[in-house]
Amino acid sequence: MSAGADAPRAAADWGWAPLLLGIAGAAALWAAPGPLGRAVGLALVWLGLWGANARLANLAVTAEWERLRRFAVAAIFGLTLLTVWEMAVTVFAVPQVILPAPSAIGARFVAALPMILGDLWQTLVKGALSGWLIGAAAAVLTAIAIDRSPFLQRGLLPIGNFVAALPIVGIAPILVMWFGFDWQSKAAVVVVMVFFPILVNMVAGLAATDALQRDQMATWSAGYWQSLLKLRLPAAMPLLFNGLKITTTLALIGAIVAEFFGSPTRGMGFRISTAVGQMDLALVWAEILMAAIAGSLFYGIVALIERRATFWHPSQRG
Amino acid sequence: MSRVLPVLSVLAAIVALWYLAAVGMNAAWVRDQAARAGETVTAGRLLRETMVLERPVLPAPHQVAAGLWEGVAGQKITSKRSLVWHGWITLGATLAGFAIGAAAGMILAVGIVHNRAMDMSIMPWAVASQTVPILAIAPMVIVVFASAGVTGLLPKAFIAAWLSFFPVLVGMVKGLRAPDAMQMDLMRSWNASSGQVLRHLRLPVSLPYLFASLKVAVAAALVGTIVGELPAGATQGLGARLLSGSYYGQTIQIWAALFAAAILAAALVWLIGLAERITLRRMGLSR
């Protein structure tokens, strides 16, 4: 008998325990005199919310509710973290310059939204996106160019794999010196950062057809370009998108870090470093929140395009 | 041999291109200096002088190599100009963070595989967190720690741990779930407890996944440490070397620090690869 099968019954017997724990914890938070009592209260609140979540996770539900349940469990866990963070900051009176409460960050985010969106435009669209597009195009063209030469492939692939593990972001100060403070230098950093991961994936993608498929092309007497366009490029798409998805995060990181070495008076990296200097940590966290949202959206949009472009691939049909 | 020759010729091509670029990018400065002195620049002189500038736009490869050698062997290793000393500081924070992050990732992965609630609560966030540019906030973490009175190795190790945590967690969960249904059924028919299943089936099967994610994690930990060394005021570590080089226009110093970081990264990844090969061979899993 595995432990998983026992859990729902045990949870059902103690169904109301998490709620009671949570209430007891909240009461302790208000009433407790010393920091120790407050810490115990906080732990009880955490246990209560976690227990409720565990109960929801082990509930037997029908298949059509399963998706909603999975979403709810993840969302409740996120809310639990936020609640405990907020309570901890409040009851222990943590100074704003060390850790602002989520509510303070939210308020700052809303109040400074126009400025943050301006920073986002400078960093994401001008710096990261343009660099990502240039780097991806260069990597795809390079992959196609070296595709006909096994010699170049054997030479470039180990180097590409090696470079992909290096701290490339360190070239940011050099490129800022070369291309100036504006978005061009950020785009240049992003180009270098995304080039090799996409190149390695694209070369592997171009090799992803099997002999049977290539023979079929040969029987139809397809030329190099025909078989490239009709067979090998479409077959390379899943791996290409794999590379494109990995590099969305790299692009944003490169653009933000490059701004630490010099930037015009806007941009997320610039704002983070100046806000840290002014001890305005709520604004720093608000920029981080925006970067997180933008990073997830960037990734999500590329994943969406992937679904459209590679609808035939087994991983997309499930 | 079939692998060495292509790699070497591509490397040679890169070095040749680099020399050409160094001549091209440094030419403007040499011409400028000559024009001020009222002299004309011949091609030979251009070639000679673009190779030996003190603060070139792009240092030639041999200048970088000389800078690297000077930093590694030309100093006492306790000197503040020694790359060994800076590299040692970076390496310490990287390894401390990597050990913490990898251990936490493995422990949490075991919890996730055995507890449905942990799985459904944490995994979506762990996966989503991969799309968030965490590295970009590394300098801020340092400053916040500093304002709370914590400086030195710990804040950098925290960033390195944070960055190496998620790849290990995701890879390890995948690995612990890798045993197929038949193997799990066999364990069940032997009446194995979940601890025994973990020890005798899940952990051994997960090792290839673990090593693959450890390589990613150690590279991420090093990058995190270096970026963590960037905030103004940092004086120790390869990242601080990059930053001070960028402040004072010491391009050779920047490139030397960059190559030192690259060598460090390569060595760390190679070491984990070595551990992987030895472990898998002793388990009879090597291909």
Side-chain angles (χ1 to χ4, degrees):
Chain A
M1 213 50 218
S2 72
D6 286 327
R9 212 163 349 102
D13 293 341
W14 294 94
W16 290 101
L19 197 59
L20 294 177
L21 268 180
I23 293 171
L29 274 184
W30 290 115
L36 187 67
R38 289 181 186 149
V40 171
L42 212 57
L44 287 179
V45 170
W46 167 266
L47 277 179
L49 283 167
W50 175 258
N53 214 14
R55 189 161 144 64
L56 183 62
N58 287 312
L59 217 58
V61 292
T62 50
E64 63 255 38
W65 287 98
E66 182 57 28
R67 274 178 71 98
L68 183 67
R69 190 259 292 269
R70 286 191 165 269
F71 177 77
V73 170
I76 290 175
F77 179 71
L79 282 177
T80 306
L81 283 182
L82 282 182
T83 311
V84 171
W85 175 358
E86 177 87 38
M87 284 178 164
V89 169
T90 316
V91 301
F92 292 111
V94 178
Q96 281 271 330
V97 293
I98 291 180
L99 186 69
S103 57
I105 296 166
R108 197 81 178 88
F109 183 78
V110 173
L113 194 59
M115 187 175 77
I116 294 176
L117 284 177
D119 294 338
L120 184 69
W121 180 262
Q122 168 79 17
T123 302
L124 180 69
V125 180
K126 283 187 176 173
L129 193 60
S130 60
W132 183 72
L133 288 174
I134 297 170
V140 168
L141 291 179
T142 310
I144 293 175
I146 66 170
D147 174 51
R148 299 183 88 162
S149 159
F151 183 80
L152 275 182
Q153 281 186 31
R154 280 208 303 274
L156 264 175
L157 275 191
I159 293 176
N161 276 320
F162 173 70
V163 173
L166 298 184
I168 303 186
V169 76
I171 61 159
I174 297 164
L175 292 182
V176 170
M177 264 184 216
W178 288 357
F179 293 98
F181 282 174
D182 210 349
W183 61 270
Q184 290 88 345
S185 61
K186 282 73 199 172
V189 174
V190 175
V191 168
V192 181
M193 282 183 80
V194 304
F195 180 78
F196 283 102
I198 299 181
L199 176 71
V200 170
N201 272 290
M202 187 65 191
V203 169
L206 285 174
T209 51
D210 59 36
L212 209 60
Q213 293 165 329
R214 286 195 299 274
D215 280 352
Q216 176 78 79
M217 279 298 175
T219 28
W220 284 334
S221 92
Y224 171 79
W225 290 105
Q226 275 180 320
S227 89
L228 182 70
L229 276 179
K230 303 245 153 102
L231 170 66
R232 300 181 54 221
L233 277 184
M237 284 299 144
L239 273 161
L240 172 63
F241 272 103
N242 186 27
L244 290 178
K245 282 194 294 190
I246 299 170
T247 50
T248 54
T249 322
L250 286 180
L252 210 47
I253 289 173
I256 295 177
V257 172
E259 285 179 1
F260 295 144
F261 290 97
S263 71
T265 54
R266 60 187 175 281
M268 307 182 95
F270 167 79
R271 196 73 63 199
I272 289 174
S273 54
T274 51
V276 164
Q278 298 159 353
M279 284 295 163
D280 186 358
L281 281 207
L283 181 58
V284 173
W285 281 94
E287 289 280 352
I288 293 165
L289 176 64
M290 194 69 218
I293 296 172
S296 311
L297 275 181
F298 193 1
Y299 186 94
I301 290 170
V302 175
L304 212 63
I305 299 172
E306 180 189 19
R307 281 183 86 89
R308 289 292 179 80
T310 64
F311 58 89
W312 46 269
H313 193 261
S315 68
Q316 299 294 337
R317 301 180 304 203
Chain B
M1 226 33 224
S2 64
R3 272 183 62 195
V4 177
L5 186 65
V7 172
L8 283 183
S9 36
V10 169
L11 276 180
I14 290 174
V15 171
L17 275 178
W18 188 343
Y19 269 112
L20 277 180
V23 173
M25 295 183 74
N26 298 334
W29 168 262
V30 173
R31 285 219 183 83
D32 208 35
Q33 289 297 96
R36 263 182 222 169
E39 300 164 35
T40 52
V41 183
T42 58
R45 184 176 161 190
L46 191 69
L47 213 60
R48 253 193 337 274
E49 294 198 355
T50 48
M51 294 290 121
V52 293
L53 294 179
E54 195 151 317
R55 292 178 182 187
V57 180
L58 175 65
H62 68 263
Q63 283 182 298
V64 175
L68 197 58
W69 181 250
E70 169 73 16
V72 172
Q75 316 280 341
K76 266 195 288 187
I77 46 173
T78 49
S79 156
K80 293 230 164 187
R81 295 174 59 186
S82 163
L83 281 174
V84 178
W85 184 72
H86 287 289
W88 180 251
I89 301 233
T90 302
L91 182 67
T94 303
L95 288 183
F98 171 68
I100 298 168
M106 284 187 245
I107 292 167
L108 205 60
V110 171
I112 281 176
V113 170
H114 287 93
N115 185 323
R116 204 172 145 71
M118 278 174 84
D119 176 24
M120 290 169 87
S121 302
I122 297 170
M123 273 315 272
W125 294 103
V127 173
S129 75
Q130 305 266 336
T131 68
V132 175
I134 300 169
L135 178 65
I137 62 165
M140 185 215 98
V141 175
I142 302 290
V143 175
V144 170
F145 268 100
S147 73
V150 185
T151 53
L153 181 136
L154 195 65
K156 289 187 277 179
F158 176 78
I159 295 168
W162 184 257
L163 284 174
S164 47
F165 170 70
F166 288 104
V168 172
L169 174 67
V170 173
M172 192 72 185
V173 167
K174 210 173 177 181
L176 289 173
R177 295 227 167 102
D180 60 31
M182 206 133 75
Q183 293 166 322
M184 292 300 286
D185 279 348
L186 182 59
M187 291 311 260
R188 197 158 301 148
S189 66
W190 284 335
N191 192 25
S193 67
S194 57
Q196 283 172 323
V197 174
L198 180 69
R199 213 179 124 215
H200 296 293
L201 176 60
R202 287 191 194 270
L203 280 180
V205 169
S206 72
L207 278 181
Y209 295 84
L210 176 66
F211 277 115
S213 51
L214 283 183
K215 282 187 212 164
V216 176
V218 80
L222 181 66
V223 176
T225 310
I226 289 176
V227 174
E229 285 163 350
L230 290 180
T235 52
Q236 304 181 337
L238 293 173
R241 210 62 192 148
L242 281 178
L243 192 75
S244 71
S246 129
Y247 273 166
Y248 302 117
Q250 298 284 358
T251 39
I252 298 178
Q253 180 188 327
I254 302 182
W255 282 95
L258 206 54
F259 270 79
I263 292 167
L264 202 54
L268 287 172
V269 173
W270 179 80
L271 269 179
I272 292 185
L274 187 71
E276 175 181 24
R277 278 197 299 279
I278 292 173
T279 314
L280 294 190
R281 187 176 308 140
R282 288 193 56 177
M283 289 172 59
L285 278 175
S286 67
R287 282 150 291 163

